[in-house]
Amino acid sequence: MEINWSRTENLSQTVKNPNIIIKGSHSYYSGAWDGAFEDRAVRYLYGDEHSLKNWQSAWEPDKLYIGDYVSIGPEAVILMGGNHTHRTDWFSCFPFADKITESYRAKGPTVIGDGVWIGLRALIMPGVTIGEGAVVAAGAVVAKNLEPYTIYGGNPAKEIRKRFAPEQIERLLKLKIYDWPEEKFNALKPLLCNNDLDALEQAAAAL
């Protein structure tokens, strides 16, 4: 898969880990400089080739859900909850082997919504949900849920601005753009590459 200057990896074609659930066939990782998505970007998620061969998970692994038309920049890290055995509510947060099961605390699924853009070297912490159409700036650290169609940056990531007015965002979410059949999506692509919401709604209703 080639997009302009960058060699990209189509996640629907390359991801093998059963704990990574990919929606659709368009999301990509731009890892031209740093290797494959599963090897480089996703950390501490049981189900990769090495973990499956070498040990049995003592708990139900958290899941990573990635929507359709997601763009993930190079050197981004999605930190999963596989090693959450450092209990900060205990006097010692060291992960003692004989206490490992009781020390583990699941973070829950990490969800990257449809149409999200994650910038270079961003860090996604475990158990967060990134809303549809959100933008994560380069180097941002996402520790909490992010709202749809909103741009975030910094450490910890904070809202920079809404991509559209709140009323427009509500209308966009109701359209469920990324659940459209491929044929409808492609037919309306010229309007998706625009910002005339009235025209998009009218055309979507007509198809």
Side-chain angles (χ1 to χ4, degrees):
M1 180 181 179
E2 299 287 340
I3 296 182
N4 297 329
W5 51 269
S6 178
R7 184 175 73 250
T8 58
E9 174 187 347
N10 186 307
L11 301 183
S12 69
Q13 297 176 9
T14 62
V15 167
K16 297 180 176 64
N17 190 320
N19 296 310
I20 303 176
I21 296 88
I22 308 291
K23 174 185 173 183
S25 60
H26 305 92
S27 294
Y28 71 86
Y29 174 58
S30 180
W33 306 293
D34 65 337
F37 176 73
E38 283 186 87
D39 296 335
R40 176 62 178 83
V42 182
R43 309 290 181 88
Y44 299 112
L45 179 62
Y46 181 83
D48 64 290
E49 185 177 353
H50 176 75
S51 64
L52 288 172
K53 285 182 178 179
N54 289 281
W55 69 85
Q56 177 65 44
S57 178
W59 39 74
E60 177 64 25
D62 292 332
K63 301 289 192 293
L64 170 59
Y65 295 89
I66 299 177
D68 208 357
Y69 294 93
V70 173
S71 307
I72 302 176
E75 300 181 16
V77 171
I78 302 171
L79 191 65
M80 299 300 295
N83 73 333
H84 278 284
T85 52
H86 302 272
R87 291 285 296 271
T88 57
D89 60 328
W90 290 1
F91 295 125
S92 175
C93 60
F94 187 85
F96 297 101
D98 59 341
K99 296 289 185 180
I100 207 74
T101 301
E102 59 191 286
S103 66
Y104 176 73
R105 288 293 180 268
K107 291 292 185 178
T110 298
V111 180
I112 300 174
D114 299 312
V116 166
W117 176 18
I118 297 175
L120 179 147
R121 294 180 180 169
L123 173 61
I124 312 301
M125 297 299 286
V128 302
T129 294
I130 301 178
E132 177 182 312
V135 176
V136 180
V141 178
V142 178
K144 295 182 179 180
N145 294 348
L146 304 187
E147 294 295 319
Y149 292 97
T150 305
I151 300 172
Y152 291 86
N155 179 11
K158 295 181 180 179
E159 180 178 326
I160 296 173
R161 64 176 176 85
K162 301 287 185 188
R163 291 180 57 193
F164 308 103
E167 175 265 340
Q168 289 179 304
I169 293 175
E170 186 176 347
R171 289 163 63 189
L172 277 169
L173 293 173
K174 286 180 179 178
L175 284 174
K176 298 187 181 298
I177 292 167
Y178 297 101
D179 292 333
W180 291 348
E182 188 90 2
E183 184 178 288
K184 179 175 181 177
F185 190 97
N186 287 335
L188 297 180
K189 191 182 296 181
L191 291 171
L192 294 172
C193 299
N194 206 311
N195 59 8
D196 187 339
L197 185 52
D198 290 335
L200 178 61
E201 287 176 325
Q202 291 169 14
L207 288 181

